[in-house]
Structure formats: C-alpha cells, structure tokens
C-alpha cells in the first residue's frame, strides 16, 4: 500500500533534517519554488485533499478564498491544537516527521504568498513543541525558512506558538484570538479568516496533517494522490484507533478503507475477546454507530450518508459491558467544561445536558428526561457562533437514538445497571 | 518573592517580541515563561508581565484565567494530571485515579502535605492510543497500570 506520511516514521533519525533530506526531503520545496503559485494550488485541487482537522473542507478551494489583493501581508496558521477526544494523529507527525510538516508549510506559504506563519500547538504537547522548535531551527539554518529561501527571493518566518489548555482553541477563529493573546473566544463569521484573520490580516488555518500531505502531492502530482483515496476524498488518512481494541494506535490507510476492516484487521479486533457495542467514528463529537453500521467506507461522503462523520479520524471503540449513559455523561462533562460561554444556547445547553445525563446515570432520572435531552439538543443545533454546541448535541442525540433502551432502563430502575462504573 | 525574569527568561521574552506583529500576542508565551520561572502565575507575575507589555493587569488576568494550564495558585513540585476522558475511561482511568489518590493520600484537586504532589483530573491529553495516560509536569506517562504508576511515583518521592 502507498503511504504518504508514515513511510519513514519508524526511523528515529527522521526527525533530524539530515536523515529527512537523505530520503528526498525538501526536494518538493525546491520543485515548488520553480512552479507558479497557481500551478501548486491546482495540484492540491486535483489531489482532492480534504482538510484533516474535522470539517473536511477541500484545501485547494479554501486557499482560493484569499483576496487577490497582495498589498496586505497574509498569515498561515497551522492548527496543531489536537483537542478533540479520540484524536492523537497530529502528535505523531510532529514528533516523528516534523520536517514533513515544515516543508508542507513552506510550500503552502509560497503558493499562498504568505511570509508569516505560526504553528499553534496545544500547550500540553511540551515535548512535541520542543521537537518542532529544533526542527524549525534546522530548517532556518539550512535555508528552507527565513529570508530568500533557496535563492528564490521568497521569505518565510515560522514560529511555534503554544496554547494553554483550552479545547475551544482548536476552532479556527478561537485559535486566531488565542494567537493574538486574547481569550480563546470564537468569532462570528463573516468576516471569514481568509479576509480578516490573525492580526486583522487575511489568514488561512490548516490542520497539521493537511499540510504534511502537501510535499508528496507536489512530488508525485495531485492525480496520483487522488487515486489513493476515493472520489472527492483523496490520499491516505492517519486514523487513530483507541478504546477497547487489541492494537490501538495510528494507522495510515487510504481514505475509503472499510471501517470494520480498520477495527478488526488493522487494530486487531476487540480486546479480551469481547463483542463490539458501539463505535464513535471520527472524534468524540461525531454521531455514534452501532455494530451493524460499521461495514462502511471511511471517507467523508460515505460517512455523511449514514448520518455521521469521519471528522478528525479518531475511531473510539466501545466494548460490550460499557454503560452508554456513563460514556455519554463523560462526553457531556467535557463539552460543558469546554464551552467558552459566549452563546446562551451553548453555555446553558451543555450545562443542562451534563446535568440531565448525569442524573440519569446516578439513578435519579425522571420520566420525560430523554425527551428533554432531545429538546435541549434541538435548541442548540445551528444556533450558536461556533460549532461546539453542535459538537455536544450530536453525540447526545445519537446516543439516545441508538441506545434509547439503556436510558429508559436507568430511569425505570432508578439505578445504573452497570454499577456506575465504566 | 520578587518576580523578575532571570536573564535567560528575559532573553527569551525579548526574542518572542520579534516574532509577532503585535505585542499582545506575547501574552500567552509570557505567561508560560512566568509559570516556568515562578512556579505559578501569581498576582505579582501578572502585574510584572502587564508592565513589560504595556497592557493592563486586568487584561492579562482575563487571559490567564481563561486557560486551564496557568495555575493561579501554587501547585506541588509534581503536578500529576490524569486523563479521565473517554478513551482513557474505557481502559480503566477512573480506577487509576482512585489508585493515585489513595497512594498520595489526596483527593483530585488536592496537594500532599509536604507540597510535593498535586493531583488533578484532566480532559483528553491527545494521546488516546496509549490510554490510560497521565502528565506529570512536562512529561507524558502512557499505557498506565497500577504497577507502573507505583513505580513512577516511587521514583519522584
Ligand atoms: C470546537 C472545535 C474544535 C476544533 N479542534 C480542532 C483541532 O484540535 N485541530 C484541528 O486541526 N482542527 C480543529 N477544529 C477545526 C478547525 O476549526 C478548522 O476547521 C481546521 O483547523 C481547518 O483545517 P483543515 O481545513 O486543514 O482541516 C475544531 C473545530 C471546532 C468547532
Ligand atoms: S457555541 Fe459554545 S463554544 Fe462556541 S462560541 Fe458559542 S458558547 Fe463559545
Ligand atoms: S482520552 Fe485520555 S488521552 Fe485522549
């Protein structure tokens, strides 16, 4: 199978620039500098490269949103916040192949005529931030960053900027506010970051994996990348499988690999010989699936067809014997804790979901609580500044739609049949 | 305790100023520096940073309190942060948190009497594939078991 990112990740030296270059690293940057920015963007469009941060927006199309006017500087921000529970793939790129990311950033910046860029990395990733800092210093020293890159006349500055522990800062406008030194409050759109972003300048925000794919696309051509995946969803994906599987970890697989195969073949099946109970397929905010629904192509379009998302590529596997009310309660605690509090439907809604699901789990559920949860969700969906409210409501709705009997049983028996444990 | 950056920290701070088009953008990095230098983000540290950046202490305070990583109160020498989000919970995190609490003799949120350990429960650390996970200061500890936790804590004791 063709791998785009992880080919040399087992090699510990790969994070150093010499080893990276010995495998052809930075040749794609050299090639890019002899291309026109438009030609690079065209390849990325042909590649069907969809954003890997969660929403899956086509990268080439997003890049086209920058204004034509070049009188104001532009900014490229790399989203390395990796906060969606179940997601742990960008960390692998940053720690094992930091130059892949830096090269992708340099190529994208050249294509976008950007001279200022920041990697916004979640604050807890201290070790990864250090690895990136070292790699950035190596790239500057080798002339791949800084002034007059490889004699092309193109300049680019790249700075690693650490967040400080706030999930909401993964949302792009919140991330921009945080980068500017403010609280991480999402902004109302429009204006979109492409016209008014970081420091008031036109800004593109892309996920780590999205940009790390770019060198391969430039080297091998967009069509070849597109051919690895499926229609409208090109390339490979780093899929993180966690929870009750025999071999949890990050797997690089073609977009459109069968989800059942991901869990049973690649991740080794369910731990302790147990049966599968449920799968959260693309990070904690994506609607849950029942075992009979996982025989599906893991790509953006196919997942949408069955009412869920491939999201950020984080597959969470839930085994038989798990209390689904408790699992949902854990998620609702999280979203209520992480709501920034700006919008009433989100601040109040996530608080209510936490409270109601919590009391059902505690054996104090009331008749009508399940309907109340669905009602609260209806009042959250699509009514807020950013999608965090939806990110909380989607799991709540789907857990009830698909595991309704467990909620009813908790309320009927006035206790948790699983003894209030995972 | 006087809050003044050491020469190394001051040099780092000055370098940071050159990396952004705007002084305010240095607020988060400065708070990280302050926490590293002084152990936690005290009121004095906030006033100090505000002075360096020419903004109001209230502005820095508003930012510092928004983010969970800035400790506004002193924490133990070792800040033990155990993940309790879903992937970790599926593999026994709840039980491990109780285990750590028992070992240290403090409840989550508490600090041991000798000031050595503070225990916290945190949300997903972005390392779900090696669950259960905890972070102690800058380092991650993964694939935790009761035995591995005992060994880790013993080393730090
Ligand atoms: C609440 C919330 C959290 C998010 N967290 C992340 C994150 O941690 N990393 C990320 O890349 N994108 C995250 N996103 C998506 C970003 O807003 C944005 O769509 C993405 O960074 C764009 O990059 P891409 O087009 O390359 O995927 C989050 C979105 C929301 C609403
Ligand atoms: S939806 Fe929630 S997180 Fe997003 S801006 Fe509104 S209150 Fe903040
Ligand atoms: S759920 Fe614990 S690290 Fe992600």
């Amino acid at each position: 199978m063709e791998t785009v990112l992880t080919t040399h990740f087992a090699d510990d030296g790969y994070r150093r620039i010499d080893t990276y270059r010995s495998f052809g690293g930075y040749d794609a940057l050299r090639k890019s500098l002899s291309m026109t920015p438009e030609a690079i963007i065209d390849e990325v469009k042909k590649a069907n490269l969809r954003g890997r941060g969660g929403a899956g927006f086509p990268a080439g199309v997003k890049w086209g949103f920058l204004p034509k006017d070049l009188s104001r500087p532009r900014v490229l921000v790399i989203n390395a916040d990796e906060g969606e529970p179940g997601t742990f793939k960008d960390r692998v790129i940053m720690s094992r192949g930091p130059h892949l990311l830096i090269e992708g950033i340099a190529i994208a910046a050249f294509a976008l005529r950007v001279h200022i860029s920041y990697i916004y990395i979640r604050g807890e990733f201290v070790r990864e931030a250090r690895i990136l800092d070292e790699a950035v210093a190596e790239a500057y020293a080798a002339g791949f960053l800084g002034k007059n890159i490889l004699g092309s006349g193109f300049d680019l500055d790249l700075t690693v900027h650490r967040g400080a522990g706030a999930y909401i800062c993964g949302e792009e406008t919140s991330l921009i506010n945080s980068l500017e030194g403010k609280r991480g409050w999402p902004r109302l759109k429009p204006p979109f970051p492409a016209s008014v972003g970081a420091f008031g300048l036109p800004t593109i925000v892309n996920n780590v994996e999205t940009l790390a794919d770019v060198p391969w696309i430039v080297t091998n051509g967009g069509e070849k990348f597109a051919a690895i995946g499926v229609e409208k969803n090109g390339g490979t994906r780093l899929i993180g499988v966690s929870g009750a599987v025999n071999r949890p970890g990050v797997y690089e697989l073609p977009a459109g690999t069968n989800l059942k195969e991901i869990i049973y073949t690649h991740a080794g099946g369910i731990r302790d010989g147990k049966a599968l109970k449920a799968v959260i397929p693309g990070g904690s905010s994506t609607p849950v699936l029942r075992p009979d629904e996982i025989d599906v192509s893991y790509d953006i379009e196919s997942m949408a067809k069955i009412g869920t998302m491939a999201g950020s590529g984080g597959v969470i596997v839930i085994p038989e014997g798990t209390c689904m009310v408790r699992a949902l309660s854990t998620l609702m605690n999280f979203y209520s804790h992480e709501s920034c509090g700006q919008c009433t439907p989100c601040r109040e809604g996530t608080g209510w979901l936490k409270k109601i699901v919590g009391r059902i789990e505690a054996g104090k559920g009331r008749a009508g609580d399940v309907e109340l949860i669905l009602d609260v969700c209806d009042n959250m969906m699509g009514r807020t500044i950013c999608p965090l409210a939806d990110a909380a409501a989607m799991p709540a709705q789907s857990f009830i739609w698909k595991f309704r009997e467990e909620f009813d049983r908790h309320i009927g028996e006035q206790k948790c049949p699983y003894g209030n444990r995972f | 305790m006087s809050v003044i950056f050491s020469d190394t920290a001051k040099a780092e701070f000055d370098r940071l100023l050159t990396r952004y088009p705007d002084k305010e953008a240095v607020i988060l990095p400065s708070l990280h520096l302050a926490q590293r230098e002084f152990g936690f983000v005290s009121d004095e540290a906030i006033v100090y940073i505000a002075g360096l950046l020419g903004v109001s202490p209230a502005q820095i305070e508003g930012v510092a309190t928004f983010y969970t990583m800035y400790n506004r109160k002193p924490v133990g020498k070792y800040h033990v942060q155990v993940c309790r989000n879903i992937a970790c919970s599926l593999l026994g995190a709840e039980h491990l948190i109780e285990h750590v609490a028992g070992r240290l003799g403090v409840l989550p949120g508490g600090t041991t009497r000798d000031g050595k350990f503070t225990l916290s429960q945190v949300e997903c650390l972005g390392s779900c594939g090696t669950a259960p996970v905890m972070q102690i200061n800058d380092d991650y500890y993964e694939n935790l078991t009761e035995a591995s936790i005992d060994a880790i804590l013993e080393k730090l004791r």
Side-chain angles (χ1 to χ4, degrees), chain A residues 15-140:
Chain A
R15 69 170 72 104
R16 318 253 35 140
I17 200 163
D18 294 342
T19 311
Y20 182 70
R21 291 183 71 179
S22 72
F23 290 115
Y26 289 106
D27 289 354
L29 174 62
R30 201 178 292 274
K31 178 174 175 185
S32 301
L33 294 172
S34 68
M35 295 166 72
T36 63
E38 292 70 29
I40 299 170
I41 296 176
D42 256 5
E43 288 305 323
V44 171
K45 281 188 183 153
K46 272 192 244 160
N48 287 334
L49 172 61
R50 307 282 296 261
R52 306 298 200 227
F57 200 80
V61 176
K62 187 197 269 186
W63 292 2
F65 293 156
L66 279 176
K68 297 274 168 283
D69 153 41
L70 288 172
S71 64
R72 287 190 309 152
R74 303 137 169 248
V75 185
L76 175 63
V77 183
I78 298 82
N79 192 339
D81 198 53
E82 190 129 277
E84 175 89 352
T87 313
F88 50 99
K89 65 187 178 70
D90 294 334
R91 179 171 175 238
V92 176
I93 298 175
M94 293 187 282
S95 59
R96 310 219 60 102
H99 284 288
L100 211 46
L101 173 61
I102 296 169
E103 184 175 12
I105 293 168
I107 295 170
F110 175 71
L112 299 171
R113 301 167 198 270
V114 163
H115 307 293
I116 314 167
S117 58
Y118 298 95
I119 299 175
Y120 184 102
I121 181 169
R122 70 175 287 171
E124 290 87 346
F125 286 171
V126 183
R127 181 172 164 272
E128 290 71 20
R130 221 172 270 148
I131 293 173
L132 280 175
D133 269 330
E134 282 167 21
V136 166
E138 286 182 330
Y140 266 100

Side-chain angles (χ1 to χ4, degrees), chain A residues 85-88 91 118 122-126 130 140 157-159 161-166 168-169 178-185 199 242-243 248 271 316-319 322 326-327 330-331 334 338 421-422, chain B residues 15-16 19-22 24-29 32 59 61-63 65-70 84-87 89-92 94-95 98 123-131 135 137-140 142-143:
Chain A
T87 313
F88 50 99
R91 179 171 175 238
Y118 298 95
R122 70 175 287 171
E124 290 87 346
F125 286 171
V126 183
R130 221 172 270 148
Y140 266 100
D157 273 316
L158 174 61
T159 303
H161 184 95
R162 287 179 60 210
I168 192 59
C169 290
S178 179
L179 176 66
E180 290 179 356
K182 305 188 175 86
R183 298 179 188 204
W185 276 352
F199 312 108
S242 65
R271 227 179 235 238
I316 306 166
V317 176
I318 300 176
T322 306
R326 188 158 192 91
T330 301
L331 296 180
F334 171 74
E338 302 296 334
R421 305 285 305 196
F422 255 95
Chain B
R15 199 190 69 88
L16 285 167
R19 305 301 298 175
Y20 302 87
D22 188 326
E24 276 179 40
V26 181
I27 293 178
L28 264 69
H32 279 305
Q59 184 179 342
E61 162 102 30
V63 173
T65 52
F66 182 83
Y67 298 94
T68 54
M69 282 180 69
Y70 300 128
R84 60 147 176 218
N85 213 297
I86 186 143
S89 286
L90 283 168
L91 299 184
E94 288 183 350
H95 178 72
E98 283 166 16
E123 299 300 347
C124 181
L125 286 165
S127 186
C128 327
T130 48
Q135 179 170 23
N137 300 350
D138 287 354
D139 298 315
Y140 274 43
E142 306 169 63
N143 296 309

Side-chain angles (χ1 to χ4, degrees), chain A residues 51-53 62 79 81-83 167 170-172 205-207 210 387:
Chain A
R52 306 298 200 227
K62 187 197 269 186
N79 192 339
D81 198 53
E82 190 129 277
Y167 164 70
E171 192 280 331
E172 59 179 4
V205 180
N206 270 136
N207 170 260
T210 312

Side-chain angles (χ1 to χ4, degrees), chain A residues 168 185-187 338-344 346-347 350 384-390:
Chain A
I168 192 59
W185 276 352
R187 298 176 181 175
E338 302 296 334
S339 166
C340 86
Q342 274 191 104
C343 324
T344 313
C346 173
R347 184 185 61 244
T350 53
T384 50
I385 295 176
C386 92
L388 183 129
D390 296 42

Side-chain angles (χ1 to χ4, degrees), chain B residues 139-153:
Chain B
D139 298 315
Y140 274 43
Y141 298 87
E142 306 169 63
N143 296 309
L144 294 173
T145 60
E146 278 189 18
S148 70
I149 286 178
D150 290 349
I152 294 158
L153 294 180

